[in-house]
Amino acid sequence: MAFEHRFDPTILREYDIRGVMDKTIGEEDARAVGRSFGTVVARNGGSKVAIGYDGRLSSPAMAAALEEGLRSVGMDVLRVGRGPTPMLYFGVYALEADAGVMVTGSHNPPDYNGFKMMLGHGAFYGEAIAELGTIAASAAYAEGQGAAADRPVFDDYIDRLLSDYRGDSSLNVAWDAGNGAVGEAMVALANRLPGQHTLLNEAIDGTFPNHHPDPTVEANLEQLKAATRDNNCDLGVAFDGDGDRIGAIDGQGRVLWADQLMVLFAGEILSERPGETIIADVKASSVLFDEIARMGGKPLMWRTGHSLIKAKMRETKAPLAGEMSGHVFFADKYYGFDDALYAAVRLIGIVSRSGESLAAIRDRLPPVVNTPEIRFDCEEERKFAIVEEVRERLSKAGADVNDIDGVRVSTDDGWWLLRASNTQAVLVARCEAKDEAGLDRLKGQLGEYLQQSGVAMPAI
Ligand SMILES: [Zn+2]
């Protein structure tokens, strides 16, 4: 019996599979993902697939259907259980699996769900995800019947996280799991770290009753800021819904965005490994790239997208990479995947050993003024064309442009960025200057270039 299956065209995305439950994605899709992804694993000579799932209400049933699909094409399934996405990645290493699939809707609203995949130790993305649709449509599946077994890795995962903690003084830390899949692991970790810990929203609850589990939106950090203030904490850390993105605030309740955290992480690593390459995406502050160079490292600006960053990291053997979205990848002492709990352990260690506060460390960073990431809707069909038109006009004008991902334009004032999102019908912009007047000039220039392509600059 054949199982031809057509996915809703919107769910096979650049970096993952994702949709709205029982509208664009459901258990039949999970079975088809299992069959088609298992077929790819078989073609690569593998037979063991680790699977995990997040705290969404629909996740256990989606994981069961995924497992059914994987087994029906001969895969042996290792169930690592419920937890954050990086715990599943860890499970692939710890269990010596050939691949891994995480059932997760990441930071999206409760009615979303989907899959993140890992083949061997590499990310599975782009064309490889599109190929799953082709395999499913023709039911060109591998044959066989696999088994399944519970292989929980929770305790080993927590031990592994803790094994890289190095601290001197004990800190007072606030933590916010946002009711996401990181909850239990966050509690286990905090209980075993020295110091005092205030835990927020640690109960895993797929309805996300307190706030949205996305720490890159500052409004979602209000609760953490209040807890940090009320308990006189040295710092606060927050996680997205599946624990692969980190947010952090200092003792004064100020956010340290990922490019600021990266300066700290890069400093620690470069002090032990001078001359190494450190990667950050095109949205990151020039302060980060300049600081990496000043501290004796090789800064490398790369395209936005966690799978792209991970691939570049393997290629260049960089010990550290990070994205503005909060994905931070440590290959220094760790596996090179994005694990926000691990990043928290390293951050707490750095502050603990510094003998000063995170606020004081933050105040020493070179001052710049910048916009946050500005995202605005744009027709899907036009988004790449608009960026290309802007690039051509910049080129004619003789501008200093890095076009690795959209355009990042450097001027005497600073820089501005315009790129098309790979995952949404959205254009993304950011500007950064040495002072407010410079920032206004950069915003004006960006606005003019957009205008010439018929796009109105959103109010910032
Ligand atoms: Zn995530």
Side-chain angles (χ1 to χ4, degrees):
M1 190 169 145
F3 291 100
E4 287 101 355
H5 181 85
R6 290 196 190 280
F7 295 108
D8 184 290
T10 60
I11 71 169
L12 300 181
R13 296 151 30 99
E14 183 68 17
Y15 310 123
D16 52 24
I17 297 175
R18 192 189 298 160
V20 178
M21 275 304 290
D22 301 322
K23 290 209 174 72
T24 59
I25 197 167
E27 289 168 32
E28 205 41 56
D29 298 295
R31 250 173 235 110
V33 168
R35 291 189 193 108
S36 50
F37 182 68
T39 297
V40 173
V41 178
R43 283 181 193 166
N44 277 271
S47 63
K48 291 196 321 191
V49 182
I51 69 172
Y53 61 96
D54 73 7
R56 283 160 198 274
L57 305 181
S58 58
S59 291
M62 289 291 274
L66 169 74
E67 176 180 316
E68 212 181 296
L70 286 165
R71 291 179 61 188
S72 75
V73 297
M75 293 295 113
D76 289 328
V77 172
L78 312 172
R79 306 180 188 121
V80 308
R82 185 175 73 168
T85 295
M87 184 176 93
L88 180 269
Y89 295 156
F90 169 79
V92 171
Y93 284 87
L95 302 172
E96 297 182 344
D98 303 306
V101 185
M102 180 70 189
V103 177
T104 178
S106 190
H107 61 281
N108 291 280
D111 53 336
Y112 278 72
N113 216 332
F115 306 93
K116 291 183 181 174
M117 289 147 290
M118 181 171 169
L119 182 62
H121 292 161
F124 188 83
Y125 67 101
E127 283 301 307
I129 291 180
E131 168 76 5
L132 298 183
T134 311
I135 295 171
S138 59
Y141 300 126
E143 285 176 17
Q145 184 56 50
D150 289 330
R151 296 294 298 276
V153 295
F154 185 91
D155 293 341
D156 291 342
Y157 174 59
I158 303 299
D159 286 346
R160 180 65 189 83
L161 294 174
L162 283 160
S163 69
D164 283 344
Y165 177 73
R166 313 220 192 306
D168 294 333
S169 58
S170 300
L171 298 181
N172 184 352
V173 183
W175 305 67
D176 188 349
N179 300 104
V182 88
E184 281 167 331
M186 181 186 89
V187 173
L189 182 62
N191 283 343
R192 288 176 57 190
L193 281 169
Q196 267 179 284
H197 301 279
T198 302
L199 304 179
L200 303 175
N201 306 322
E202 69 274 26
I204 297 177
D205 182 340
T207 66
F208 307 128
N210 295 303
H211 61 73
H212 208 58
D214 182 354
T216 53
V217 176
E218 195 159 352
N220 296 330
L221 297 172
E222 288 305 322
Q223 218 187 333
L224 183 67
K225 287 182 187 177
T228 303
R229 199 174 47 236
D230 295 348
N231 297 288
N232 274 323
C233 294
D234 297 298
L235 73 157
V237 286
F239 308 95
D240 85 328
D242 68 329
D244 57 7
R245 297 191 295 128
I246 188 171
I249 59 172
D250 69 16
Q252 296 176 24
R254 296 176 301 180
V255 177
L256 275 89
W257 299 106
D259 51 359
Q260 296 173 304
L261 295 176
M262 282 288 291
V263 175
L264 275 59
F265 295 140
E268 182 193 35
I269 291 173
L270 290 169
S271 70
E272 293 166 8
R273 303 171 64 166
E276 296 267 20
T277 299
I278 310 274
I279 302 172
D281 74 332
V282 288
K283 293 179 202 164
S285 169
S286 60
V287 168
L288 172 58
F289 298 105
D290 293 346
E291 285 292 292
I292 291 168
R294 189 186 63 77
M295 296 185 294
K298 288 198 207 81
L300 175 61
M301 190 187 294
W302 194 239
R303 299 170 61 193
T304 292
H306 60 97
S307 301
L308 303 173
I309 294 270
K310 241 181 275 193
K312 192 67 180 173
M313 204 178 172
R314 283 160 69 87
E315 180 196 321
T316 59
K317 300 197 166 51
L320 175 71
E323 281 192 281
M324 274 309 284
S325 55
H327 291 277
V328 181
F329 313 77
F330 284 90
D332 172 67
K333 303 186 176 75
Y334 205 55
Y335 305 92
F337 55 71
D338 37 348
D339 185 334
L341 284 171
Y342 184 78
V345 166
R346 296 284 291 250
L347 177 63
I348 295 166
I350 288 170
V351 178
S352 163
R353 290 195 312 280
S354 73
E356 54 184 353
S357 68
L358 182 57
I361 298 172
R362 183 189 189 279
D363 285 337
R364 270 208 314 279
L365 296 176
V368 282
V369 287
N370 49 33
T371 67
E373 179 178 338
I374 308 155
R375 301 176 71 84
F376 49 104
D377 294 338
C378 172
E379 290 162 61
E380 179 67 25
E381 302 71 38
R382 279 280 288 152
K383 64 181 187 183
F384 288 110
I386 288 168
V387 174
E388 181 53 25
E389 289 164 19
V390 169
R391 196 186 66 77
E392 277 168 21
R393 284 197 293 275
L394 284 162
S395 161
K396 281 196 193 111
D400 176 2
V401 179
N402 178 325
D403 60 0
I404 193 107
D405 184 356
V407 288
R408 179 163 162 146
V409 185
S410 297
T411 78
D412 290 341
D413 287 318
W415 58 271
W416 58 268
L417 170 78
L418 179 70
R419 64 180 288 274
S421 166
N422 283 318
T423 54
Q424 290 172 288
V426 156
L427 285 171
V428 180
R430 196 179 186 208
C431 310
E432 176 177 276
K434 295 176 202 89
D435 53 40
E436 290 291 346
L439 192 66
D440 284 343
R441 282 191 290 273
L442 292 172
K443 282 195 251 183
Q445 196 182 84
L446 166 63
E448 272 170 42
Y449 274 94
L450 280 171
Q451 192 103 57
Q452 287 164 19
S453 280
V455 180
M457 172 85 165
I460 309 165

